[in-house]
């Protein structure tokens, strides 16, 4: 006999670390702080999977400290974790779960594509180059390395940002119709694009002609210049077309339907009766209705020369074709933008304004505006949407302007439609502000004057500096008393006043396996607090599966048929477990958990393969975990334990199989009966003893914790006690015939989420209750003391918001997203809002005799969870008196009775003239929750 250590020293694995976990943490903190002090364009950052990085943070003790890297939402960093819980050292850096091509590390770094829609903090973290180099040095092997460059964004507000998703362009070579992919920074120049294309396709640059081929249609012929790809309105995954200009190659991409070659030139603005700002049109296509006060690097017309939508600008609407029913193409996670835009372009006063000549009101001198460019881009887009019949529009020019002036919306991440709406309303106001030079106004204290006087004075002062169509139709006056103050806001933020008990719960499905082989696995679905911890999940599972007093549960995450991590920290937040992950639990006898842990992996054994040490076989199923009871386990003990834990999966005759399968019928009889009959799920020890007398001759190999290296062992091989042993079982035709492996495969996800928004009216609240909560008197705490100008001291005050006057258009923001210090959540409660006759008279303090009855005309919807999901819009064509559903480029009619759902996020109301008030729902002032 020989005594063998179960550990491995792999050539590509983790070697002995040169410093302690505490030293690692200090080095990383110092390097991070140094990189933050030296931010500059072109700095390299590296993307690392949050799964691996969380392991490293726990190992070095960051769990109890403030977050050091990334934007993680883990509560465990701020909890006093039991010091006796020592986290395991992470293996080599593993980014396989965030790259599209799995764990294949043979690709070049700049060709490795990240999975789409990843969220920083939740899916990945960004670390500076020197931090990556240290981590890679300490934990050798793994990867792949995912370097990303820091870019500088914005025009007025310059911000640094790491370009996690570079621009990905699909190159079509017209010579042989071959296709290839080119990845470049969106800040790269067109000259760089030409160099890459010509080098890739072996063509001289002076013979290359490259077209913007968005939607498989020639738009602008690109020229090698310093203009960036972003400024050229090139979008993620769009096509570009390469042609060779030498007189010999003729491209079918430039043919018309009859096969004749077309004369293709850079497209100019349409010379129709519509112009950029609705003004008179000159022969060059530019409006003469305003003078351009341009600043370096800007051009009011440069971004508008391209038709940006892939269709002729201002298509003539055919006879009988309805206007206002054009969809907006999704340019890559731009559904948030499309939803907000559809609501705005179906706002009657804005439609009327932008379809007329507004050129005289464009303010190119306002330092708070965008030199008129945002208003021009929005006006052009609105005109196209109301001029193209039902042809979908690609808002590329508008998105380019948005990224230019609001870099937070650049790139291809999902954003909040309300945040975009707030920026857009403010930006349009400043671009269209009729006040060219704002006067200086010294504000006066209320000083005990009547509210009416203070309100009138504040509104007059506001109008003296702010006068635009946005102020005319959208601004709301708030009156803040104690201390007296007058505030102007663009829309109301309505806080959902709900009982959050149901909203704070989360359903999780965990598959429970028997560590001693006494029963078949069973999935259990339990409800836990969203902001709870693993200890809460364990407690719920103990009750659901009737855990015995002498048993414990071992939680683990299964990823790619391997144990990715153990959830052994009681205060590990449940927020770290995503809905699409697979979580399992193993029922283990308490008395055996101090012994040697045995992990059993499964892989298919090909008939033609005779080399059992070969690692290229396919792994499958869920690994099994058990404990070896012997003080010094041997190879024979391992084989016996594997045989025992596999026994429930054995294909038996019908009567024996029926005996084992009884457990699956107990859930329907209720929890009490299940617990009282729990013995029926177990197999008697006598049956085990009889089965174990047969030598199964299993094909077992010892492996490491990464399941990369394999080693044969004998029955008389002895292993050190207390170690974690991992073995791989090769399944041949014999094992597949003997055991039913289906129980090991296809375990359910934690939560199978859908986008269906249920109308849970039993949990509904009313819009009036939300307004009451918004306007309720609120005492300010000690941290929000008010400085009294009279007594010159800070005093605790009371804040009370009142609505002094209401505009023609009101937007209610149902604040569904809540952001705590460490946790984020979405409230899916159904809010009962009226479609007709929303009477807000009782909320308005200024009784001026004006009607304050409103009608709903648009809704921005959000489906799904936080940081992702999908936005759509409902909008009403006023002239047609019919509702439509706008889902990106898809537009379809919808019944009015179907537009009220729990997905409603932004509610758009317009004032109803008294003479036109419809008889619909009863006055909302009498509605109840």
């Amino acid at each position: 006999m020989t005594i063998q250590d179960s550990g491995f020293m792999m050539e590509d694995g983790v070697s002995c670390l040169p410093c302690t976990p505490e030293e690692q943490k200090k080095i990383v903190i110092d390097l991070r702080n140094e990189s933050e002090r030296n931010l500059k364009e072109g700095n390299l950052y590296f993307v690392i999977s949050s799964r691996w990085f969380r392991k490293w943070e726990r190992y070095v003790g960051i769990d109890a400290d403030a977050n050091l890297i990334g934007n993680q939402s883990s509560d465990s960093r701020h909890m006093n974790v039991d010091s006796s819980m020592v986290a395991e050292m992470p293996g080599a850096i593993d980014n396989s779960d965030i790259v599209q091509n799995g764990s294949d590390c043979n690709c070049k770094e700049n060709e490795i594509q990240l999975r789409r829609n990843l969220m920083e903090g939740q899916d990945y973290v960004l670390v500076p180059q020197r931090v990556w180099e240290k981590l890679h040095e300490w934990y050798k092997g793994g990867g792949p390395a995912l370097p990303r460059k820091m870019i500088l964004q914005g025009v007025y507000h310059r911000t640094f940002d790491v370009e996690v998703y570079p621009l990905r362009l699909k190159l079509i070579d017209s010579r042989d119709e071959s296709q290839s992919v080119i990845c470049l920074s969106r800040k790269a120049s067109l000259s760089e694009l030409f160099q890459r294309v010509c080098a890739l396709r072996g063509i001289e640059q002076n013979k290359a002609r490259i077209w913007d081929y968005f939607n498989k249609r020639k738009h602008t012929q690109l020229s090698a210049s310093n203009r960036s790809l972003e400024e050229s309105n090139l979008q993620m995954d769009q096509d570009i077309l390469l042609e060779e200009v030498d007189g010999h190659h003729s491209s079918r991409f430039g043919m018309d339907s009859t096969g004749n070659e077309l004369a293709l030139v850079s497209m100019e603005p349409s010379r129709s009766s519509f112009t950029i700002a609705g003004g008179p049109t000159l022969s060059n296509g530019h409006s003469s209705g305003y003078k351009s006060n341009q600043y370096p690097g800007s051009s009011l017309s440069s971004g508008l020369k391209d038709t940006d939508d892939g269709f002729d600008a201002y298509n003539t609407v055919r006879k009988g074709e309805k206007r206002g029913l054009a969809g907006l193409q999704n340019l890559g996670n731009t559904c948030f933008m499309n939803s907000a835009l559809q609501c705005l372009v179906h706002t009657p006063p804005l439609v009327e304004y932008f379809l007329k000549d507004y050129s005289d009101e464009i303010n190119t001198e306002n330092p708070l505006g965008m030199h008129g460019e945002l208003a021009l881009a929005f006006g052009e887009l609105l005109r196209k949407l109301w001029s193209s019949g039902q042809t979908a529009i690609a808002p590329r020019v508008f998105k380019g302007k948005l990224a230019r002036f609001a870099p937070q919306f650049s790139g291809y991440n999902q954003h909040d439609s309300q945040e975009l709406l707030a920026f857009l309303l403010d930006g349009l106001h400043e671009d269209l502000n009729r006040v060219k030079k704002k006067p200086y106004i010294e504000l006066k204290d209320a000083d005990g004057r009547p509210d009416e006087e203070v309100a009138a004075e504040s509104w007059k002062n506001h109008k003296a500096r702010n006068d635009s169509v946005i102020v005319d139709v959208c601004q709301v006056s708030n009156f803040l008393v104690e201390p007296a103050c007058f505030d102007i806001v663009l829309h109301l933020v309505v806080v959902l006043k709900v009982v959050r008990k149901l909203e704070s719960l989360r359903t999780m499905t965990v598959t429970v396996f028997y560590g001693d082989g006494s029963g078949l696995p069973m999935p259990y679905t339990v409800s836990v607090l969203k902001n709870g911890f693993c200890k809460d999940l364990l407690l719920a599972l103990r009750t659901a599966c009737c855990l015995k007093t002498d048993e414990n549960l071992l939680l683990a995450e299964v990823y790619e048929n391997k144990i990715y991590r153990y959830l052994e920290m009681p205060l590990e937040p449940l927020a770290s477990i995503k809905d699409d992950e697979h979580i399992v639990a193993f029922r283990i006898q308490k008395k055996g958990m101090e012994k040697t842990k045995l992990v059993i992996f499964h892989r298919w054994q090909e008939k033609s393969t005779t080399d059992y040490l070969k690692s290229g076989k396919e792994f499958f199923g869920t690994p099994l975990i058990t404990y070896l009871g012997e003080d010094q386990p041997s190879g024979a003990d391992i084989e016996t334990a594997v045989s025992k834990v596999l026994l429930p999966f054995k294909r038996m005759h019908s009567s024996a199989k029926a005996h084992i399968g009884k457990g699956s019928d107990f859930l329907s009889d209720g929890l009490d009966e299940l617990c009282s009959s729990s013995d029926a799920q177990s197999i008697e020890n006598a049956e085990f003893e009889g089965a174990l007398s047969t030598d199964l001759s299993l094909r077992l190999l010892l492996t490491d914790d990464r399941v990369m290296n394999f080693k044969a062992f004998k029955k008389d091989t002895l292993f050190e006690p207390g170690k974690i042993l991992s073995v791989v079982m090769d399944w041949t035709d014999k094992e597949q015939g003997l055991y039913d492996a289906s129980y090991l495969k296809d375990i359910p996800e934690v939560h199978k989420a859908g986008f269906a928004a249920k109308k849970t009216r039993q949990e509904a609240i009313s819009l009036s209750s939300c307004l009451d909560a918004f306007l309720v008197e609120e005492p300010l705490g000690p941290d929000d003391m008010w400085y009294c100008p009279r007594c010159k001291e800070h005093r605790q005050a009371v804040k009370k918001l009142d609505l002094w006057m209401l505009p023609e258009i009101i937007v209610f923001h149902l604040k569904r997203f809540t952001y705590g210090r460490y946790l984020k959540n979405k409230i899916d409660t159904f809010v009962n809002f009226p479609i007709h006759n929303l009477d807000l008279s009782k909320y308005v303090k200024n009784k001026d005799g004006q009607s304050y009855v409103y009608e709903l005309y648009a809704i921005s919807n959000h489906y799904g969870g936080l940081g992702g999901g999908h936005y759509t819009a409902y909008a009403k064509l006023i002239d047609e008196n019919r509702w439509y559903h706008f889902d990106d480029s898809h537009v379809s009619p919808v019944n009015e009775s179907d537009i009220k759902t729990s997905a409603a996020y932004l509610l758009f109301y317009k004032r109803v003239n008294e003479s036109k008030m419809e008889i619909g729902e009863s006055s909302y002032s009498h509605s109840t929750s």
Side-chain angles (χ1 to χ4, degrees), residues 528-586:
V528 292
L529 291 173
K530 285 183 179 178
N531 59 348
F533 304 94
C534 281
K535 64 178 183 179
D536 303 314
L537 177 60
L538 286 170
L539 184 62
L541 285 174
R542 291 179 69 94
T543 303
C545 71
C546 302
L547 198 72
K548 298 177 182 178
T549 56
D550 62 344
E551 289 180 313
N552 264 344
L553 286 175
L554 176 62
L555 280 178
E557 178 190 344
V558 176
Y559 177 71
E560 291 188 347
N561 311 117
K562 299 171 186 176
I563 300 293
Y564 187 82
R565 58 171 172 157
Y566 293 101
L567 299 166
E568 297 179 296
M569 305 290 285
L571 294 181
E572 173 78 18
L574 294 179
S576 68
I577 303 175
K578 294 187 287 186
D579 285 346
D580 60 350
E581 293 177 348
H582 298 84
I583 303 298
V584 296
F586 297 93

Side-chain angles (χ1 to χ4, degrees), residues 83 114 191 211 234 239 608 633 649 686 762 764 787 814 914 918:
S83 60
L114 289 173
S191 294
W211 290 90
L234 298 180
D239 297 318
S608 59
F649 308 100
Q762 68 276 12
Y787 182 76
L814 304 181
E914 293 187 17
E918 301 180 37

